[in-house]
Amino acid sequence: MAKKLMKGCEALGEAAIQAGCLHFFGYPITPQTEVPEYLSRRLPEVGGVYVQAESEVAASNMIYGCAAAGVRVFTSSSSPGISLMAEAVSYMAGSQLPVVIVNIVRGGPGLGGILPAQSDYWQATRGIGHGDFRVIVLAPSTVQEAADLMIEAFDLADQYRNPVMIIGDGIIGQMMEPVEFKKREKKQLPEKIWAASGAKGRAANKIHSLFLDPVKLEQHNIFLKKKYDEVEKNEQRFELYNTEKPYDLLIVAYGTMARICKTSIALLQEENISIGLARPISLYPYPYKAIQEAARKAKQVLVVELSMGQMIDDVRLAVEGQRPVHFYGRSGGMVPSPEEVCRELKRILAQKT
Amino acid sequence: MEAIFSRPKAMSSTITHYCPGCTHGIIHRLIGELLDEYNLKEKTVGVAPVGCAVLAYNYLDVDFIEAAHGRAPAVATGVKRGRPDLFVFTYQGDGDLASIGMGEIIHAANRGEKISVVFVNNAIYGMTGGQMAPTTLPQQVTSTCPQGRDVQTAGFPIRMAELLSSLQTDSFIARVSSHSPRNVIEAKKVLKRAFGYQVSGRCFTLVEFLSTCPTNWGLPPKKATEWLEQNMIPYYPLGIFKTPEEGKVK
């Protein structure tokens, strides 16, 4: 397919279709409403099903049912809506259902604002809902990457029987960029023999997260932990930028913020200041080792986020106190310019360490 | 020897956890018998509630999904839209359907989801031990209205069958009771009609069953059936409220 200029939200919707997902249940909320809008006209064209739910609570439970029946399905929302979906995400993780959830993050807390933010990092990477579980979280920094990760998300969900979240700040959802949907090889995935799809010629399947016997619930928790260990071993994704030559400072940033930081790095390059960048793509599993190794090559680390400092917790865990970790962030929908980040970098570099 | 009575094929040979005198077991059996009669065992997905029937998936031998409290109609919507060829039913109590799940049931009915809802109304929360339900009768004593339900602060009990019948979308809505053999026989006929509408892809269907809860009502089983007849039926009249052919009939 040729390159096409698309809004991030529309590219996510089209990518789902390209991934063979023909079922969408959602609820409008800014700044992701273009996902349901796009799919409400596109899905009927390809024989798919679009349902506008009465709430995010209902939408997330609809994808629970659809996934339980063995059908590829996804939903999309933004921060306050994701909070409402937390209940079903916990049930889906507990009953091991493959679903994809898009969160186009807006500022918070509460109703917050409608402009880009990265303030749902904690929520996304610490499981979203109640109980001991993990959601695979992928954070694109371009519209093309959003489309690519979206397609991959469905395979990951099926492979690990686990919810996968695509997390993008509002800019990823709203920005228009050229996208190409490349032909890809179909991945070998396990058959959904566990699905509640009519017990024909087999024992009945029961999809549930209830284990009244504590011995069985603990066994279930241990089983899930083993799965997450596998995810952590196999699915860490990150990009290193400008780290081939020596650098004084390492920036850690993701999503749109990482992109802005790349411009800052180029600007400082002209002044012979060398800065490296580590961009986590999988926020869970977090690429701790890669961040640690990249940090060790620098004297200090700066975490830049569209929040008051959330991912910095993981960077500190990665760095293990071996380097000073600074933070710079804007929030509430404010997005720093590359020059603003440059000023902060210079300020830190001028300090005696 | 010819067997003249046996367990329906769609039921497991598990002993239920229900209290003596509770009618969940009877209602389960009606579902089992009808799944056999319509030959649906291999294409059915049930959705279990949170409440006393949370373990319904252990008693009916068909594919099952355990939903979060009140969300069964949304879960069933997901199954049916994903696999319209399947027979999909939810089984929900009064707290599940008429309190926490009020939004989900109204919108599933209003969208005309081609699912069947078995709604069990025993006017109390069973599993948590006898608290006030949205269907608890005025002055009825429960552990969270020890002086009796005060309609000035708790409002009146909600008549779900009537409320859902007021929607314009085609549906089949009825209320039956499970407290006597005669009522059970009638209930089966009504539930059979409801399931039939789903089998033919016609409309949303809901059958409300009045049911007893001797344990949490604090009554012996026989007294409980009398209490249901004397107190619940006058407030919750039995009958068919809406059909896809005639619209609202009651």
Side-chain angles (χ1 to χ4, degrees):
Chain A
M1 231 193 304
K3 278 198 175 180
K4 210 175 151 188
L5 197 62
M6 284 184 106
K7 228 182 193 188
C9 282
E10 296 183 342
L12 285 165
E14 184 59 34
I17 293 171
Q18 298 296 325
C21 172
L22 299 181
H23 290 77
F24 177 87
F25 302 84
Y27 188 81
I29 181 171
T30 310
Q32 67 77 50
T33 303
E34 291 84 349
V35 178
E37 281 177 345
Y38 180 80
L39 291 167
S40 66
R41 65 172 183 272
R42 184 77 175 103
L43 278 172
E45 288 174 6
V46 293
V49 172
Y50 165 86
V51 177
Q52 181 163 325
E54 63 270 28
S55 66
E56 287 91 347
V57 172
S60 53
N61 281 285
M62 288 173 188
I63 67 166
Y64 174 37
C66 199
V71 178
R72 268 199 172 177
V73 63
F74 94 104
T75 189
S76 170
S77 191
S78 178
S79 312
I82 297 293
S83 293
L84 286 171
M85 292 182 175
E87 173 191 65
V89 177
S90 175
Y91 279 71
M92 291 188 284
S95 46
Q96 299 199 77
L97 294 179
V99 294
V100 175
I101 300 153
V102 172
N103 183 6
I104 301 297
V105 182
R106 55 189 257 182
L111 205 46
I114 58 168
L115 292 175
Q118 295 181 322
S119 42
D120 295 352
Y121 181 91
W122 282 331
Q123 183 196 44
T125 59
R126 267 62 183 168
I128 302 172
H130 66 278
D132 230 344
F133 74 95
R134 292 287 202 169
V135 167
I136 297 171
V137 184
L138 305 173
S141 76
T142 67
V143 173
Q144 180 66 59
E145 191 178 32
D148 294 343
L149 288 177
M150 185 70 182
I151 291 172
E152 210 184 331
F154 286 97
D155 288 346
L156 284 172
D158 281 346
Q159 187 182 336
Y160 292 100
R161 282 189 63 188
N162 205 69
V164 178
M165 173 174 276
I166 301 284
I167 196 163
D169 49 75
I171 297 172
I172 296 291
Q174 294 298 314
M175 176 173 55
M176 286 185 91
E177 284 194 300
V179 197
E180 190 183 3
F181 296 97
K182 296 156 207 147
K183 273 242 175 312
R184 57 186 191 109
E185 265 181 58
K186 219 173 166 191
K187 215 174 161 184
Q188 278 292 327
L189 292 165
E191 243 186 278
K192 297 183 178 180
I193 48 168
W194 45 264
S197 52
K200 197 171 170 131
R202 59 159 168 80
N205 285 332
K206 317 285 178 175
I207 307 283
H208 65 100
S209 54
L210 177 70
F211 297 87
L212 288 171
D213 178 349
V215 173
K216 287 196 174 144
L217 182 53
E218 189 187 40
Q219 283 168 354
H220 181 57
N221 287 140
I222 291 168
F223 176 83
L224 291 178
K225 173 68 169 71
K226 280 189 184 146
K227 183 168 82 172
Y228 306 142
D229 288 346
E230 278 299 296
V231 170
E232 286 172 21
K233 203 171 83 193
N234 303 330
E235 307 303 340
Q236 292 184 24
R237 288 160 170 73
F238 57 90
E239 179 196 3
L240 294 174
Y241 177 80
N242 211 35
T243 55
E244 306 80 28
K245 340 170 259 201
Y247 47 93
D248 299 319
L249 185 146
L250 178 78
I251 294 179
V252 186
Y254 70 97
T256 295
M257 202 54 248
R259 237 171 134 172
I260 295 167
C261 289
K262 284 183 183 174
T263 309
S264 308
I265 289 169
L267 289 171
L268 290 180
Q269 202 83 356
E270 292 165 15
E271 301 178 37
N272 284 322
I273 301 171
S274 188
I275 309 281
L277 171 80
R279 177 173 74 91
I281 298 169
S282 57
L283 304 185
Y284 179 82
Y286 197 76
Y288 288 109
K289 194 156 171 274
I291 303 289
Q292 185 180 54
E293 284 169 5
R296 275 186 185 152
K297 292 183 191 160
K299 291 196 183 70
Q300 43 192 340
V301 177
L302 173 66
V303 181
V304 188
E305 295 180 63
L306 298 176
S307 78
M308 298 310 291
Q310 299 196 4
M311 183 179 69
I312 188 171
D313 290 359
D314 279 326
V315 176
R316 286 204 178 109
L317 285 173
V319 172
E320 290 181 326
Q322 294 169 354
R323 295 290 182 277
V325 178
H326 307 276
F327 178 76
Y328 184 67
R330 296 296 303 271
S331 72
M334 298 299 287
V335 179
S337 66
E339 290 76 14
E340 214 176 317
V341 177
C342 285
R343 274 201 298 278
E344 184 61 18
L345 285 163
K346 283 182 174 174
R347 196 185 65 76
I348 293 166
L349 288 168
Q351 285 174 349
K352 287 212 162 67
T353 50
Chain B
M1 214 162 31
E2 192 198 351
I4 55 165
F5 188 82
S6 61
R7 191 186 293 276
K9 285 197 191 72
M11 292 196 83
S12 316
S13 55
T14 315
I15 294 167
T16 73
H17 70 286
Y18 299 119
C19 304
C22 165
T23 60
H24 270 308
I26 294 170
I27 301 165
H28 283 18
R29 185 176 166 104
L30 293 185
I31 295 170
E33 287 179 1
L34 288 172
L35 293 179
D36 280 7
E37 286 172 31
Y38 278 114
N39 199 21
L40 290 169
K41 183 176 168 349
E42 293 184 337
K43 53 182 291 194
T44 292
V45 175
V47 184
V50 170
C52 282
V54 68
L55 295 171
Y57 56 77
N58 286 337
Y59 309 140
L60 286 154
D61 190 21
V62 293
D63 280 5
F64 243 97
I65 302 166
E66 164 54 36
H69 200 21
R71 316 295 177 223
V75 173
T77 297
V79 179
K80 192 74 181 182
R81 296 292 188 115
R83 289 286 308 272
D85 55 314
L86 296 175
F87 181 84
V88 183
F89 76 92
T90 73
Y91 189 101
Q92 303 177 259
D94 42 52
D96 192 88
L97 181 138
S99 189
I100 196 166
M102 183 61 105
E104 284 74 18
I105 190 63
I106 289 193
H107 285 279
N110 196 52
R111 284 190 305 268
E113 298 297 341
K114 313 291 184 288
I115 59 171
S116 299
V117 176
V118 177
F119 168 40
V120 180
N121 175 4
N122 59 10
I124 204 157
Y125 280 70
M127 190 175 69
T128 45
Q131 293 75 33
M132 184 177 72
T135 51
T136 293
L137 293 175
Q139 300 311 314
Q140 185 185 339
V141 172
T142 75
S143 71
T144 52
C145 50
Q147 269 79 50
R149 182 187 184 126
D150 178 1
V151 295
Q152 293 305 317
T153 54
F156 282 87
I158 300 173
R159 297 183 177 103
M160 284 308 300
E162 288 84 337
L163 193 152
L164 293 169
S165 301
S166 70
L167 300 170
Q168 193 173 336
T169 308
D170 275 359
S171 64
F172 177 78
I173 311 280
R175 183 183 291 120
V176 298
S177 184
S178 56
H179 74 289
S180 76
R182 209 183 86 193
N183 284 91
V184 171
I185 291 164
E186 174 60 22
K188 186 176 173 184
K189 283 186 203 150
V190 173
L191 190 62
K192 184 167 189 169
R193 189 169 164 194
F195 280 11
Y197 283 121
Q198 184 184 165
V199 169
S200 61
R202 184 70 177 82
C203 63
F204 173 86
T205 60
L206 177 140
V207 178
E208 175 176 341
F209 281 78
L210 300 185
S211 168
T212 54
C213 184
T215 300
N216 289 303
W217 290 355
L219 296 171
K222 188 165 180 301
K223 282 260 181 324
T225 57
E226 288 163 18
W227 191 89
L228 185 156
E229 189 158 301
Q230 287 157 17
N231 297 280
M232 288 184 76
I233 292 179
Y235 191 89
Y236 297 113
L238 306 183
I240 289 166
F241 290 82
K242 194 172 173 192
T243 72
E245 295 85 11
E246 306 148 286
K248 201 164 178 289
V249 290
K250 199 166 174 174

